[in-house]
Structure formats: structure tokens, C-alpha cells
Amino acid sequence: MARTPSPGGLSRRDFLAAAGATIALPLFPGGSLANVPAGEALHGLSAFGDLKYPEGFGHFDYANPDAPKGGTFNFQPGYWYFNQNVLTFNTLNAFVRTGDAPPRMEVCFDTLMVRAYDEPDALYGLLAEHVTLSEDRNSFTFRLRPQARFHDGTPLTAEDAAFSYMLLKEKGHPQLALPLTELNEAVAEDEHTLRLTFSGRQAPRNILTVTSNPGYPVFSKTFIEENGFDSSRLVPLLGSGPYKVGRFSAGRYIEYDRVEDYWARDLGPMKGFNHFGRIRIDFYRDRNAGFEAFKKGDTLWREEFTARTWTTGYDFPAVREGRVVQTQIPQEKRPLLYGFVPNQRREQFRDARAREAISLCFDFEWTNRNLFYDVYTRSHSFFQNSPYMAEGLPSPEEQALLDRFRGQAPEAAFGEAVIQPVSDGSGRDRVRLREARRLLMEAGWTPRDGILHNEKGTRFTLEYLVRDEIFLRTDASFTENLRAIGIDASIRLVDASQYQSRQTGFDFDMISMAIGMEATPDADGLDQISHSRSAGVEGSYNFSGTADPVIDALIGIAGQARTRDELTVALKVLDRVLRARRDWIPNWHSANHRIAHWDMFGYGDNKPDYFFPVESLWWHDAEKAKAIGKA
């Protein structure tokens, strides 16, 4: 197991001391789900009380209950959760910190509620028919559907749900356990009534996080007690969801078989989804091998993340014959954070001037033109392409909030929103490199034998950890620029399991990472990325090691917002401060998904705005498959 490195010369307790120094500020008035009535049995919840679908609705507008069932969907996932790995797997438990699990294991499990993908933050009851809130918003009572069943036919009860919540709090993956920190108890009041009670210190909209998919599954208590809950065995946990684990070979492939008698198939939140008879994922440790499998028709659907392949690689017979099609589908209306992440647990990255110097060495303009065929746009924000992205000077409302942090937040946060500077496109912009070197010398680094050293005589080293050979090509010029200003920089390629272990344990100098956020970011999600309480928790998303009481306070203010306008102001100010701190170095983004697939699928025109789970929305079209010889 990789050990979480403590910052040089500091204990973890010292490093996280900022968590205990959170600035005391008056918050926006109100509390959790302030617009949601207490004492009333509700079929759904949303952050600000707005629900599109009435009780007893037939199906979501973007679902298709008339789509045919059957066929196999063999695809290469573009996103994954928790301890999942797209390159290999060695466990079938996707809800613990250790091990590498296959993507989409979550389709085997049901949650109390499910998200509506055409609303920014609405949940509707799945296992839970209704939920009732206490006046203080610290207790939530769920009435479970009596027809809920596990795959072995046994009833799913409130006792199973209560057991699952306490299990995840104690042993779950940190991304699941952290939001349950303030859960005091999960109690089965009777066979079908579950009560979750929190301390009052939880994030105000915490309940929206801890009751919905893809996390927070309900397990069989009996099964877990008999089989354990860890990553040591390739034994699928008993679930109740629309799919269950079928055939698999560790590290090579896994199949999920549709459950024909799935208990919730005709309920409004699930009707019109999960049409494929089988979902299969093959694992390729090499990106080129995965592409070759697609070209041969072994893989049927893929999202193309390599610009060169998208631009030059799709000139093979199946494309020319029209059997494989390329299309671009608009991205969802959700913030996506993608960038380089210097690890502030390491002494050389703790000064913001050093992090800014590193950012100046990355020449996006040259990289985009020479390596990416100009398909990307430079990112600047932690909430890129969302209403929460700060732009220009602060509005009066933003300024009023910023002023509370005078003398504590970086001065750069109070002016124009920090943006990444434009280079001359040469790949070696001397003006920017001179500025980078100046910043490092100002931060206490001086050259010795061509390498920068601090006053202790320690060299400035930077090992950029990657898990795919493509980064050796795309980031080589970046590394050369780092070396040009005196940083002892290198790129290290490691295998998938080692990368996962080192990333989880924060055992790296710098990585690149993409994190998709909810359309309405909540305090739990933001805590995972930037709050001091997650900086020392292995497996969290706080890869940068951010531990700043100003950030903690702003996350708290965002969590307390009673209206979307208040939330937007708080997140824009948070964005300004994070950008001024240079915690991440934003890279790039694309307006569209680049999709390639064999032309044998049906899909609706009504793509939801906030999520795109193609494996549950598309279906097998037998006529199309026959026409291209894939029947």
C-alpha cells in the first residue's frame, strides 16, 4: 500500500492545522434544503425545492420505454468511479479504497434515490418510495418499496439499508465515507422504514449526495456478513440492480448481464433504460491496442480522447464503407476540472510562485497546434463552461463576499479573474520562461550547476507521473521547458495498478487529472477536491493537498446558499481564490464528446443536459446490425 507522504518537515497534523482555523463568518441565512417542506412524504428532492416530474410519473422524458431489448454493448468507458480502473482489474468490490475494480460495477446495485439527468440536482425515489425531512433537517426517514428484491430473490429491507450506510461510513472508499462523517446513526425502524440521523454539522445538502447513484448502494447484510467487504477476492457482491456480473476474466474482460425480472423495471425512475442484454468491457493496457480492437469490431463504441487519432486515424475500411460512424455530441452542462496537479504535500510545490512558474512552462498554443490539431480550447476555471466560472472583475455581490477575506486570500483574487497567459506559440516562449525562473528565484530557489536549489541545498525535482505512453509524446515539450528553467524534471510511466496506488496515496510530485462535478456542485463534492479535511485522506480527490481556511469557509458558504443566485456568487468567488492560489494548472477542454461507433445502435434525440450514460440510454438495432454484417 502506498503511504501518504507528509509534507517535508511537517507532520500531517501540522499540515492540516488550517482545518481547525476555519474563518468564522456569517453565512447566507437558512439551512439544508430550506425550500423543501418538513414532515411531508416527498417523492423527490432537489437542492432548491424544484422538481420537474410529479409523483407517479411514467418515465423520464429522455428514456425510451419502447426500445427493443437485447444485444451486446461492448464499449470502452470514458469515465469511472471510486477505485475503478479502465486498464485492468483485480477485485469486484468497487466501493472500497484498495484494489482495482472494473468500471460500471455500480449498475448491479440500487440506491435509495436516483438522479434525473435533465435537471441540475433533482433526485427521485427508487428503493425509497418517499422521504420525510425533520424540522431541523438532521433526520431523514425513508419508506422503502416492499417489492424491492436482491438478485437471489430475497427481500431488500430497511435493515439492509441501515447496515450498508454504517458499513460505507466505516469501510467504504473515502469518496463515499467522507460525506458520511456526520452520520450519527442509520436505523431500521421497521422492515420498510429507514431513518438516517446526522449530527447537524453535515453539509447542508449532504442528503442529496448520500442517497443517490452511482454511490451509496444498498448491500445484502446477510451476504456481507458471510463473505466480507474488502478487495481481496474476485467475488461479486450480491446486488439488486438492473444488471449482475456475468462472465469475467481478471484484467481482461467483464460482462454484465441484464436482469430480466428486475424488480424496478416498470417504475418511473427506471422505465425506459438498460436495453442491452449484455454490457461488456474489454481491458487494454495500451491505447493503440484498444483502438485496433475497435477497428476490428471487437469493441463497438468508444469516445475518442486522442485528437490525433480522431483527426487522422479514422480512415479504415469500415469507416469508408459507412459501417463505422463518427459524430460529435455536445458536452453536458456540468463543470469539468482538468489540469496538472502539483502535490503541495511536497515542499517544492508549497509556494504559489513555484506553481505559477510551472504553469508558465506549459505552452498550450504550441501543443494544441502541433499535437492536438487545434481541437481544444484552453481552460482557465475550476468550474469551466458553467455558470460558476468567474470572469473579468468581480460583480458587486462577489466583491462584497471577497471583502470578508481581505488580508487572507491572495491579492490576485480581488482583481480580474486569473487566466492562463497566451504564449507566442513557439514551444519555448523565452519571455514566459524568464518570468518562470524569476518567480522561482523570488521563492528562494537559486541555480547551482544548472539546477535550482533551495537554501537547504535541496534540488528542485519534479517527477510527472503518467500511466499511458501518449503523455510521453504530448508533454515532452512541457518537461523540456521545466528543465530549461532549472527544474530537475522527468516523466515517469508506470503500470495501471501502480499508478492507481500512488495516486490514491498521494505518492507523486505531479499528475494530470480530470474530475467531473455535479451540475449543482455541493459542499460534499467540493470538500473532496479542495477542503483541508480531505487533504490527508487517502483516496480523496484532493490531489493538490489544498488546506486553506479561506477555501474551507467559501465551501461552507456555498453549501449554505438558499438560492441558485447565492450559490453562483459563492462559487465564483471560490473559483477566483482557487485560481489565484494556483492549486491546479488548468489544461484544456472540448465543447463536444467525440464519439465513434459501429452503426448498429438506436438512440433518442432528447439527450439529457446533465449526464450521458450511453450504456443505459442506447439500444441494439437488429436491422442496422444486419445491414453492416454484425447481426
Side-chain angles (χ1 to χ4, degrees):
M1 180 186 301
R3 181 180 61 86
T4 302
S6 296
L10 295 179
S11 69
R12 183 177 299 176
R13 176 176 296 179
D14 294 331
F15 181 64
L16 298 180
T22 301
I23 298 168
L25 290 169
L27 305 181
F28 289 125
S32 173
L33 305 170
N35 301 322
V36 178
E40 181 179 327
L42 305 169
H43 73 288
L45 295 172
S46 73
F48 301 105
D50 303 319
L51 292 174
K52 174 180 177 179
Y53 296 94
E55 184 164 9
F57 68 94
H59 60 83
F60 290 124
D61 290 346
Y62 51 89
N64 185 353
D66 299 320
K69 307 296 184 185
T72 295
F73 187 59
N74 188 325
F75 80 125
Q76 296 174 2
Y79 60 87
W80 51 96
Y81 304 101
F82 317 132
N83 69 347
Q84 295 174 2
N85 194 326
V86 292
L87 301 180
T88 188
F89 71 95
N90 50 40
T91 181
L92 296 181
N93 188 344
F95 306 102
V96 291
R97 187 186 68 80
T98 57
D100 303 277
R104 299 305 178 271
M105 189 59 67
E106 63 277 2
V107 301
C108 301
F109 301 90
D110 288 319
T111 51
L112 293 177
M113 309 185 83
V114 294
R115 295 187 177 274
Y117 304 147
D118 56 351
E119 298 178 79
D121 49 45
L123 307 183
Y124 295 89
L126 177 56
L127 287 171
E129 188 171 14
H130 293 106
V131 57
T132 304
L133 284 63
S134 64
E135 283 289 346
D136 62 6
R137 284 5 187 214
N138 292 330
S139 183
F140 304 85
T141 302
F142 298 87
R143 183 64 181 173
L144 304 192
R145 300 182 193 269
Q147 65 267 43
R149 293 287 186 276
F150 289 108
H151 293 150
D152 65 355
T154 57
L156 186 154
T157 68
E159 186 178 4
D160 294 305
F163 169 82
S164 298
Y165 273 92
M166 299 313 292
L167 177 70
L168 289 170
K169 177 178 178 174
E170 179 187 357
K171 298 181 178 181
H173 191 281
Q175 292 160 23
L176 297 169
L178 280 172
L180 294 175
T181 300
E182 300 301 334
L183 176 66
N184 282 348
E185 59 179 2
V187 176
E189 297 188 335
D190 60 40
E191 188 176 5
H192 302 301
T193 305
L194 168 73
R195 176 171 50 82
L196 302 179
T197 302
F198 294 82
S199 68
R201 295 185 298 272
Q202 73 276 10
R205 291 182 289 276
N206 169 267
I207 196 65
L208 299 181
T209 299
V210 304
T211 56
S212 64
N213 57 319
Y216 303 100
V218 172
F219 306 114
S220 164
K221 178 182 179 182
T222 299
F223 181 90
I224 297 296
E225 288 179 340
E226 292 177 353
N227 294 276
F229 186 73
D230 56 44
S231 62
S232 63
R233 293 182 298 164
L234 282 163
V235 177
L237 305 180
L238 179 61
S240 63
Y243 287 89
K244 60 183 178 181
V245 174
R247 298 190 308 151
F248 64 88
S249 177
R252 295 180 54 229
Y253 73 88
I254 188 167
E255 294 179 348
Y256 301 102
D257 295 334
R258 187 163 60 86
V259 177
E260 296 295 338
D261 59 349
Y262 173 47
W263 72 271
R265 63 184 179 185
D266 294 323
L267 291 179
M270 297 303 290
K271 191 171 184 177
F273 294 99
N274 306 311
H275 310 296
F276 293 108
R278 178 173 294 113
I279 296 172
R280 179 179 169 112
I281 300 171
D282 290 303
F283 292 79
Y284 301 96
R285 300 202 180 210
D286 179 80
R287 191 179 298 241
N288 290 328
F291 184 51
E292 290 301 317
F294 175 76
K295 289 165 65 175
K296 290 191 299 181
D298 293 339
T299 300
L300 303 172
W301 188 99
R302 66 184 265 126
E303 183 168 359
E304 186 56 69
F305 294 102
T306 306
R308 182 175 68 172
T309 303
W310 180 258
T311 306
T312 66
Y314 285 84
D315 183 22
F316 52 90
V319 175
R320 294 193 292 270
E321 296 161 4
R323 294 187 296 145
V324 167
V325 296
Q326 290 176 272
T327 187
Q328 298 198 55
I329 298 174
Q331 289 276 4
E332 290 67 62
K333 298 176 181 178
R334 301 169 53 167
L336 175 65
L337 174 57
Y338 177 49
F340 298 114
V341 194
N343 185 358
Q344 294 172 48
R345 301 170 186 83
R346 306 284 170 92
E347 185 177 5
Q348 63 267 42
F349 307 114
R350 209 167 291 148
D351 192 307
R353 290 169 295 189
R355 302 194 295 273
E356 182 177 358
I358 293 169
S359 73
L360 289 168
C361 293
F362 175 59
D363 192 329
F364 168 76
E365 286 70 30
W366 182 89
T367 303
N368 195 36
R369 185 181 70 250
N370 289 278
L371 301 178
F372 297 156
Y373 298 84
D374 285 320
V375 302
Y376 291 114
T377 302
R378 186 68 197 266
S379 296
H380 301 284
S381 170
F382 278 68
F383 303 106
Q384 190 69 41
N385 284 5
S386 79
Y388 316 116
M389 179 173 63
E391 298 181 272
L393 290 168
S395 68
E397 294 81 7
E398 292 171 57
Q399 190 65 58
L401 181 53
L402 272 167
D403 284 343
R404 302 183 192 182
F405 300 96
R406 286 283 181 187
Q408 300 160 92
E411 191 59 33
F414 295 86
E416 296 268 352
V418 170
I419 62 172
Q420 300 300 310
V422 177
S423 77
D424 62 10
S426 66
R428 186 67 67 91
D429 187 325
R430 297 184 181 277
V431 173
R432 287 177 50 169
L433 295 183
R434 281 197 297 270
E435 174 62 10
R437 191 173 176 88
R438 184 194 69 79
L439 286 167
L440 287 169
M441 295 183 70
E442 187 179 284
W445 297 90
T446 56
R448 186 186 310 167
D449 299 326
I451 299 294
L452 294 168
H453 293 69
N454 63 14
E455 61 182 9
K456 302 174 186 176
T458 305
R459 295 160 64 95
F460 194 124
T461 58
L462 188 158
E463 181 186 80
Y464 174 33
L465 191 70
V466 301
R467 63 175 179 181
D468 194 300
E469 287 186 1
I470 192 169
F471 295 105
L472 302 180
R473 177 178 67 89
T474 60
D475 294 324
S477 64
F478 177 34
T479 310
E480 290 171 5
N481 283 341
L482 292 169
R483 287 197 287 263
I485 65 169
I487 294 176
D488 184 8
S490 61
I491 304 179
R492 183 174 182 184
L493 175 66
V494 297
D495 66 42
S497 294
Q498 184 181 356
Y499 184 92
Q500 180 107 323
S501 176
R502 291 186 61 178
Q503 171 193 292
T504 299
F506 308 133
D507 185 15
F508 57 84
D509 288 344
M510 188 175 77
I511 58 173
S512 61
M513 181 55 58
I515 297 177
M517 301 183 207
E518 296 298 339
T520 303
D522 57 27
D524 286 307
L526 297 171
D527 278 2
Q528 291 271 347
I529 302 170
S530 299
H531 200 287
S532 58
R533 71 168 59 97
S534 63
V537 179
E538 292 186 353
S540 78
Y541 287 140
N542 195 339
F543 302 116
S544 63
T546 302
D548 184 338
V550 173
I551 300 300
D552 296 351
L554 285 169
I555 290 173
I557 290 171
Q560 291 282 350
R562 288 175 59 95
T563 68
R564 291 194 190 279
D565 287 343
E566 289 177 347
L567 177 67
T568 299
V569 169
L571 292 181
K572 283 187 174 183
V573 172
L574 176 62
D575 188 35
R576 290 180 184 278
V577 177
L578 285 168
R579 287 158 71 171
R581 282 179 47 85
R582 312 279 180 170
D583 286 308
W584 289 49
I585 301 168
N587 282 6
W588 55 79
H589 64 275
S590 173
N592 299 305
H593 295 283
R594 296 189 295 267
I595 304 298
H597 64 90
W598 287 76
D599 191 15
M600 53 186 294
F601 304 115
Y603 47 90
D605 296 328
N606 190 17
K607 174 187 174 291
D609 286 336
Y610 299 107
F611 196 39
F612 181 48
V614 61
E615 64 275 16
S616 66
L617 292 175
W618 287 24
W619 58 88
H620 178 82
D621 187 316
E623 292 300 317
K624 283 186 175 182
K626 183 177 180 181
I628 65 170
K630 301 287 285 186

